[in-house]
Amino acid sequence: MKLKHIAFLSAVTLLVACNEKKKSGFELSGTLTNASEGVSVYLDRLTTQGTNHLDSTKMDKDGKFTFHTKGVYKGFYNLRITQSSYATLILDSTEQVTITGNSQLLGDTYKVDGSTDSKLFGQMNSNMKTASFKMDSIKKLYQALLGTYGNDTAKMDSLSHVFEKPYDAIMADQKAYIAKFVKDNPSSFACLAAIQQLPYEEYTSCYTTLDDALTKAYPTSTYVTLFHTDVANLKRVAVGSPAPDFTLPDTDGKDFSLSSLKGKVVLIDFWASWCGPCRASLPGIVKIYNKYKDKNFVMLSVSLDKDKDHWLAGIKQFGLTWTNVSDLKYWDSKVVRLYGFDGIPFSVIVGADGNIVAKGLEVPAVDAKLESLLGK
C-alpha cells in the first residue's frame, strides 16, 4: 500500500417547519440511542492541515444535544462521541441540521436531515465501505488459500488469475459509481472525497467537470482553491506533457537538474528512508536499474527525507548507486507540488524527448513499461 495523505471535503440545505419563522444561523441538533446523560459530544473541523476542535456539549437523559456553534463555514466536520465513534458531515453557516444514530456506532448508523451534501457524503461513503469489504474478503480468502500451495508457482499463478477477475470487477464497478456520482453532483463538496479514488489519467473529464463547477459555486473556499491547484498540477504533469524540471542538491550538496538527463529514458523514484512501502519496493528498483543500466537509461532518486544521515544510510543500505537528490524538506519539498503526488513511493518515467511516458506505476508495471521502451 502507498502512504497516502489525503483531505476529504463537502456541503448542505435548510429545513424549516411550515408555520415557523425561518431560523438564522447554524444549528446542529441530534438524538442518539445507547447514550448516557452527561456524555460529551464534540464538533471538529477537518482542514487540509489537520483536525481543529470547535465546540462541545453534553447529551441529556434522552440522548439529545444541540450546537449553535459560531465560526462554522462550508466544509467538512466530524461529530464525535469517541475517537472511534464519529460521523463526518458537510456543514454550512446557516444550516439547520438534525442527526440520529447509535452513539456507540455513530459512523455506521447515523442519518442526517437538513444537509444535502452530508446525505450525499453518507451515500457515497456507504457504497465505498461495501466495495472495500468485498475486496478485503477476496484478499483474505486468496491469502488463506495461497498458503496451501507451498512453493508451487504454477498453482499460485492460477489461483491469482481466479481471484483477479472478481476483484477487478468490483474495482471497475466502484470507479463507474464514483464517476457517475461526480457527474450527477458536480457542485457538491462530497465529490471532493469521492474523486480521490479515480486515477486522473483515466478520468480527466471528471476532474475538469468538478473543478469548473466547484470553482464557480465556491470561488473563495480553501478546500476548492486547493483542489483547483491540484487539478492544475495534474494537468501539468499528465502523460505526454513535458516533465517539469527541478534542481535539487545531491548527496555532496551539489545542484543537480533533471533537464541534464534529457536524451535518455529516466526513471524518477520519489521515496524516503522512513517510508516502509518505499523500502519494500527498493530491491525491485535496484533490479530494474541493473537490467537497463547499459541501455539509454538512467535512474534518479528523489528523497522526501528530512534527516541527511538517515537519507545517506538508506542509500547505502539498499545500494542506490545512481544519482540521489533531496532538499531534505519532507512533504514541503517543492517536487511534491510540482509533480502532484500525495503518497510514496511514486514513480515517473520520462522519455528521451523529455516528456512524461508513465507515472504512478508499481515496480512490475515500471519494468514492463521500460521493456517496451528499451527492449529486454
Side-chain angles (χ1 to χ4, degrees), residues 6 8 120-136 170-171 173-175 177-179 181-182 190-198:
I6 307 192
F8 296 133
L120 287 172
F121 181 85
Q123 292 168 13
M124 179 270 298
N125 197 39
S126 177
N127 178 278
M128 294 175 69
K129 280 184 177 179
T130 300
S132 179
F133 176 78
K134 291 178 180 177
M135 289 190 289
D136 284 346
I170 295 171
M171 288 191 67
D173 288 345
Q174 185 67 6
K175 289 178 181 178
Y177 168 82
I178 294 171
F181 185 91
V182 173
C191 293
L192 287 170
I195 204 166
Q196 305 291 333
Q197 311 303 312
L198 299 181

Side-chain angles (χ1 to χ4, degrees), residues 148-208:
T148 66
Y149 287 135
N151 295 320
D152 192 327
T153 304
K155 287 186 178 180
M156 290 168 65
D157 287 344
S158 177
L159 183 67
S160 177
H161 289 310
V162 169
F163 280 87
E164 277 177 6
K165 189 172 182 179
Y167 187 90
D168 291 345
I170 295 171
M171 288 191 67
D173 288 345
Q174 185 67 6
K175 289 178 181 178
Y177 168 82
I178 294 171
K180 186 177 186 303
F181 185 91
V182 173
K183 181 181 178 181
D184 292 345
N185 307 283
S187 59
S188 171
F189 271 36
C191 293
L192 287 170
I195 204 166
Q196 305 291 333
Q197 311 303 312
L198 299 181
Y200 176 78
E201 304 293 345
E202 297 177 39
Y203 295 90
T204 302
S205 62
C206 283
Y207 278 83
T208 301

Side-chain angles (χ1 to χ4, degrees), residues 91-308:
L91 305 173
D92 208 350
S93 59
T94 60
E95 292 181 332
Q96 313 295 307
V97 184
T98 59
I99 184 170
T100 59
N102 183 331
S103 67
Q104 303 300 309
L105 299 166
L106 194 56
D108 294 325
T109 62
Y110 76 95
K111 303 293 181 184
V112 182
D113 283 311
S115 174
T116 300
D117 276 6
S118 290
K119 281 190 172 184
L120 287 172
F121 181 85
Q123 292 168 13
M124 179 270 298
N125 197 39
S126 177
N127 178 278
M128 294 175 69
K129 280 184 177 179
T130 300
S132 179
F133 176 78
K134 291 178 180 177
M135 289 190 289
D136 284 346
S137 297
I138 291 173
K139 282 183 183 178
K140 289 176 181 177
L141 181 57
Y142 171 69
Q143 291 295 335
L145 292 175
L146 198 61
T148 66
Y149 287 135
N151 295 320
D152 192 327
T153 304
K155 287 186 178 180
M156 290 168 65
D157 287 344
S158 177
L159 183 67
S160 177
H161 289 310
V162 169
F163 280 87
E164 277 177 6
K165 189 172 182 179
Y167 187 90
D168 291 345
I170 295 171
M171 288 191 67
D173 288 345
Q174 185 67 6
K175 289 178 181 178
Y177 168 82
I178 294 171
K180 186 177 186 303
F181 185 91
V182 173
K183 181 181 178 181
D184 292 345
N185 307 283
S187 59
S188 171
F189 271 36
C191 293
L192 287 170
I195 204 166
Q196 305 291 333
Q197 311 303 312
L198 299 181
Y200 176 78
E201 304 293 345
E202 297 177 39
Y203 295 90
T204 302
S205 62
C206 283
Y207 278 83
T208 301
T209 296
L210 182 58
D211 182 31
D212 290 345
L214 286 176
T215 300
K216 182 178 180 180
Y218 306 101
T220 61
S221 167
T222 302
Y223 299 109
V224 173
T225 54
L226 179 60
F227 178 68
H228 178 72
T229 300
D230 286 343
V231 172
N233 287 336
L234 288 168
K235 289 179 180 177
R236 189 182 64 251
V237 293
V239 171
S241 301
D245 192 22
F246 57 84
T247 300
L248 292 174
D250 64 15
T251 53
D252 294 322
K254 297 179 181 178
D255 285 344
F256 185 90
S257 299
L258 172 64
S259 56
S260 68
L261 301 176
K262 190 169 183 179
K264 294 182 179 294
V265 173
V266 184
L267 173 58
I268 309 174
D269 182 42
F270 296 96
W271 74 295
S273 66
W274 47 261
C275 165
C278 300
R279 297 170 71 88
S281 72
L282 285 173
I285 294 294
V286 171
K287 287 181 180 179
I288 285 175
Y289 172 72
N290 290 329
K291 181 177 178 179
Y292 299 105
K293 66 180 180 179
D294 296 327
K295 300 179 182 289
N296 189 40
F297 169 79
V298 289
M299 278 287 311
L300 177 62
S301 285
V302 183
S303 172
L304 301 191
D305 272 283
K306 51 186 174 180
D307 183 293
K308 187 170 184 177

Side-chain angles (χ1 to χ4, degrees), residues 306-323:
K306 51 186 174 180
D307 183 293
K308 187 170 184 177
D309 289 340
H310 291 167
W311 174 41
L312 296 178
I315 292 171
K316 182 178 180 180
Q317 178 184 354
F318 290 98
L320 313 186
T321 57
W322 49 83
T323 301

